[in-house]
Amino acid sequence: MDYNFREVEPKWQKYWREHKTFKAEIRDDKPKYYVLDMFPYPSGAGLHVGHPLGYIASDIFARYKRLKGFNVLHPMGYDAYGLPAEQYAIQTGQHPAITTERNINRYRQQLDILGLSYDWDREIRTCDPKYYKWTQWIFIRLFNSYYCNDAQQARPISELEEVFAKEGNANINAANSQPFVFSAEEWHSFGVREKSDILMNYRLAYLSDSMVNWCSELGTVLANDEVVNGVSVRGGYPVERKSMRQWSLRITAYAERLLQGLDSLDWTDSLKEIQRNWIGKSRGAAVYFTLENGERLEVFTTRADTLFGVTFMVLCPEHELIERITTEDRKKEVETYVRWAKNRSERERQAEVKKVTGVFTGSYAVHPLTNERVPIWISDYVLAGYGTGAVMAVPAHDSRDFAFARAFNLPVKQVVVPDGEQQEDTSAWTESKDSKSGTVVNSSFLDGLEVKQAIDRIIKYLSDNGIGYGTTNYRLRDAIFSRQRYWGEPFPVYYKDGVPETLGEDKCRFFCLRWTNIFRPQAENLR
């Protein structure tokens, strides 16, 4: 007999809906299990094939766990804010609330037709004030907190203010971007704006100037995956990398806790390794290079043992020093290169391994150990978001530095001989020797030491002589918490004389659209 889906499926779907078959009850007599799907973004007229591709698999698993006696929570929701809804609203003259509601209803109908076992009493819509009042509540808590390294947890920002008033910030062990030390007397002398700026350097939710993908045509910041070949995926408009004032979340404060927490997670080893690489913990050293204009440039390296092998330095295209150190005869070429390079996404720059690009600034740094002049270049293979946005290039022992040196005819000096090999003439090399073990050569007081011994020795030397220090770095970056132009979660923040203040927690759900003549009439009808 043929399967009569037109009769069977509506019948049971109706039964499930009326009897709330998949509702997760609060009960203690069953073990709990949580099955979570990625929420779809209701930007189109319906689901695409990629949605059920994942949803069916997780639904099978949810049903299996129910049959095994688990109390399963399997919710669904809609990632309902964002740029596509704004653009559609502009094109059609309809308010995003109208089109989003229409699309959600269509998505829900299709999900029901698929017969997926969701607990619809737990539905989430990110544009619903009942939902985003809690994300606003979280934001307010983050704004009013700092991360205490001693306690390894978030603490009230008011605690910092009390300490600042008594003894300044010299003894504070907290995650921060505060550039200078101040006393209690100085704290009391600061005005409201100055105190606010200082506290901002400690807050977990903070304002700062960040490099972002800015699209002037769309009037908004775009994520890296919304930009391809320098233009926006939506509309194909030009995108430029520029520094803009943005809200960020200081997730880097939790880097070590995130890393240690992986050990206790019931995940596959491969997934844990992906997360470890994303956090990217590196032990190494910060090294100071003095510039010929008197300024000091700090670089981070995991291979301090190769310091004597530095033959040039490379800055990222966004580096703040570029404008100050570029010589007049190099200015035009540098400006042209920087304009091109910094508008490329980090993903493009990391993926590009064959094409080497760069430009000489015309300036030099002084090597901290040899006092030799080291030319300073700019290249897009150095990223602003990792380390200090500057690298000491050791082309003999780093593949990207080697490719750059060969492309621009820069010196290659061997300072490590890998185990089982002999020192060689680098002019014949076709690739670098990136070995992490071996014997140090051509390195003064480090000669003859094994790599690990040399790293310990040079870090101590740097610290003792005030030209560097041992440190730990993480690839993880603070998350930029941006928003769309108007169809996006509103920040619970207002400004008093230019100083940001959060709304009270009882004021969460505050929603402020930028009403326009196009949207106002239709929005009023929604009331």
Side-chain angles (χ1 to χ4, degrees), residues 90-344:
I90 291 172
Q91 293 165 10
T92 63
Q94 299 180 81
H95 194 277
I98 297 171
T99 54
T100 299
E101 177 72 22
R102 182 188 306 140
N103 290 340
I104 285 176
N105 292 337
R106 176 59 174 158
Y107 277 39
R108 168 66 191 274
Q109 181 185 32
Q110 291 178 313
L111 290 168
D112 283 341
I113 290 173
L114 287 170
L116 302 175
S117 59
Y118 293 124
D119 178 359
W120 286 109
D121 285 354
R122 309 294 183 104
E123 179 191 279
I124 287 174
R125 300 184 183 190
T126 57
C127 62
D128 185 346
K130 291 193 294 293
Y131 167 80
Y132 68 70
K133 78 169 186 177
W134 293 112
T135 60
Q136 289 185 325
W137 177 81
I138 293 171
F139 183 91
I140 292 171
R141 288 296 178 102
L142 291 171
F143 181 86
N144 290 317
S145 299
Y146 77 101
Y147 191 83
C148 176
N149 290 325
D150 293 328
Q152 284 289 291
Q153 62 177 211
R155 302 292 303 165
I157 201 78
S158 57
E159 289 184 356
L160 279 186
E161 295 182 87
E162 292 176 6
V163 174
F164 292 166
K166 293 178 181 178
E167 59 185 61
N169 70 334
N171 298 317
I172 293 291
N173 184 17
N176 70 90
S177 53
Q178 172 59 26
F180 62 89
V181 175
F182 55 86
S183 65
E185 291 74 17
E186 289 174 312
W187 173 256
H188 288 295
S189 70
F190 295 145
V192 174
R193 185 70 172 269
E194 290 173 299
K195 288 181 178 179
S196 173
D197 290 343
I198 289 172
L199 290 172
M200 197 64 75
N201 290 325
Y202 290 89
R203 297 184 188 277
L204 289 179
Y206 65 97
L207 273 174
S208 68
D209 293 321
S210 305
M211 292 302 300
V212 295
N213 302 313
W214 172 253
C215 180
S216 57
E217 287 291 331
L218 295 176
T220 191
V221 170
L222 300 178
N224 286 337
D225 56 9
E226 295 175 310
V227 182
V228 176
N229 296 324
V231 298
S232 62
V233 172
R234 183 164 294 273
Y237 301 116
V239 175
E240 63 175 317
R241 295 274 295 170
K242 64 185 299 185
S243 178
M244 297 184 70
R245 199 76 167 158
Q246 301 285 309
W247 284 104
S248 295
L249 303 181
R250 206 180 298 275
I251 189 63
T252 50
Y254 291 84
E256 190 60 32
R257 277 183 59 182
L258 289 169
L259 195 59
Q260 298 302 323
L262 288 172
D263 296 335
S264 60
L265 285 180
D266 184 18
W267 287 2
T268 63
D269 290 339
S270 60
L271 187 55
K272 288 183 181 182
E273 191 60 24
I274 290 172
Q275 292 298 307
R276 290 190 183 99
N277 291 337
W278 180 258
I279 296 169
K281 182 177 182 178
S282 301
R283 293 183 177 89
V287 185
Y288 301 130
F289 285 76
T290 302
L291 307 184
E292 291 186 324
N293 68 355
E295 294 191 67
R296 191 169 69 173
L297 175 61
E298 180 180 324
V299 301
F300 172 80
T301 178
T302 59
R303 294 296 303 274
D305 57 304
T306 65
L307 184 54
F308 282 94
V310 174
T311 58
F312 59 98
M313 304 192 73
V314 188
L315 306 181
C316 67
E318 302 87 356
H319 204 286
E320 61 178 7
L321 277 176
I322 291 175
E323 188 174 345
R324 299 200 296 274
I325 67 173
T326 301
T327 57
E328 195 62 35
D329 61 312
R330 306 295 301 166
K331 191 171 183 179
K332 184 175 181 181
E333 188 175 354
V334 166
E335 288 178 347
T336 300
Y337 180 80
V338 167
R339 188 163 49 248
W340 169 80
K342 75 177 185 179
N343 286 336
R344 303 183 72 207

Side-chain angles (χ1 to χ4, degrees), residues 213-507:
N213 302 313
W214 172 253
C215 180
S216 57
E217 287 291 331
L218 295 176
T220 191
V221 170
L222 300 178
N224 286 337
D225 56 9
E226 295 175 310
V227 182
V228 176
N229 296 324
V231 298
S232 62
V233 172
R234 183 164 294 273
Y237 301 116
V239 175
E240 63 175 317
R241 295 274 295 170
K242 64 185 299 185
S243 178
M244 297 184 70
R245 199 76 167 158
Q246 301 285 309
W247 284 104
S248 295
L249 303 181
R250 206 180 298 275
I251 189 63
T252 50
Y254 291 84
E256 190 60 32
R257 277 183 59 182
L258 289 169
L259 195 59
Q260 298 302 323
L262 288 172
D263 296 335
S264 60
L265 285 180
D266 184 18
W267 287 2
T268 63
D269 290 339
S270 60
L271 187 55
K272 288 183 181 182
E273 191 60 24
I274 290 172
Q275 292 298 307
R276 290 190 183 99
N277 291 337
W278 180 258
I279 296 169
K281 182 177 182 178
S282 301
R283 293 183 177 89
V287 185
Y288 301 130
F289 285 76
T290 302
L291 307 184
E292 291 186 324
N293 68 355
E295 294 191 67
R296 191 169 69 173
L297 175 61
E298 180 180 324
V299 301
F300 172 80
T301 178
T302 59
R303 294 296 303 274
D305 57 304
T306 65
L307 184 54
F308 282 94
V310 174
T311 58
F312 59 98
M313 304 192 73
V314 188
L315 306 181
C316 67
E318 302 87 356
H319 204 286
E320 61 178 7
L321 277 176
I322 291 175
E323 188 174 345
R324 299 200 296 274
I325 67 173
T326 301
T327 57
E328 195 62 35
D329 61 312
R330 306 295 301 166
K331 191 171 183 179
K332 184 175 181 181
E333 188 175 354
V334 166
E335 288 178 347
T336 300
Y337 180 80
V338 167
R339 188 163 49 248
W340 169 80
K342 75 177 185 179
N343 286 336
R344 303 183 72 207
S345 70
E346 288 192 2
R347 184 175 298 172
E348 290 178 281
R349 289 158 64 172
Q350 287 177 300
E352 182 61 77
V353 294
K354 293 182 179 180
K355 184 180 178 182
V356 179
T357 66
V359 63
F360 179 42
T361 65
S363 289
Y364 295 81
V366 179
H367 195 292
L369 301 181
T370 67
N371 289 323
E372 294 175 348
R373 298 176 81 220
V374 181
I376 304 174
W377 289 68
I378 303 166
S379 180
D380 66 345
Y381 81 86
V382 179
L383 303 178
Y386 184 69
T388 63
V391 300
M392 54 175 228
V394 185
H397 308 292
D398 182 274
S399 58
R400 300 200 76 166
D401 292 346
F402 182 85
F404 193 89
R406 285 291 187 252
F408 295 101
N409 197 29
L410 295 165
V412 177
K413 179 182 178 182
Q414 184 177 16
V415 290
V416 175
V417 177
D419 292 336
E421 296 186 18
Q422 299 292 324
Q423 187 173 342
E424 299 174 340
D425 178 7
T426 60
S427 63
W429 286 11
T430 57
E431 60 183 15
S432 61
K433 295 183 180 296
D434 301 348
S435 177
K436 295 182 179 179
S437 63
T439 304
V440 176
V441 297
N442 298 324
S443 299
S444 183
F445 60 90
L446 298 179
D447 284 352
L449 295 177
E450 291 296 309
V451 166
K452 187 177 185 308
Q453 294 174 314
I455 290 176
D456 293 339
R457 177 78 63 83
I458 191 64
I459 290 177
K460 184 177 186 305
Y461 182 90
L462 293 171
S463 180
D464 289 346
N465 289 274
I467 51 178
Y469 57 93
T471 186
T472 299
N473 196 26
Y474 297 90
R475 182 175 292 110
L476 182 69
R477 303 265 62 86
D478 284 342
I480 296 176
F481 193 56
S482 191
R483 63 165 290 173
Q484 307 301 329
R485 290 164 294 183
Y486 49 87
W487 190 242
E489 178 185 348
F491 290 105
V493 175
Y494 67 97
Y495 292 82
K496 183 177 180 180
D497 297 325
V499 175
E501 303 277 356
T502 57
L503 299 173
E505 292 180 6
D506 60 330
K507 299 295 193 303

Side-chain angles (χ1 to χ4, degrees), residues 1-5 7-8:
M1 180 182 297
D2 291 338
Y3 171 48
N4 187 353
F5 63 89
E7 179 180 324
V8 173

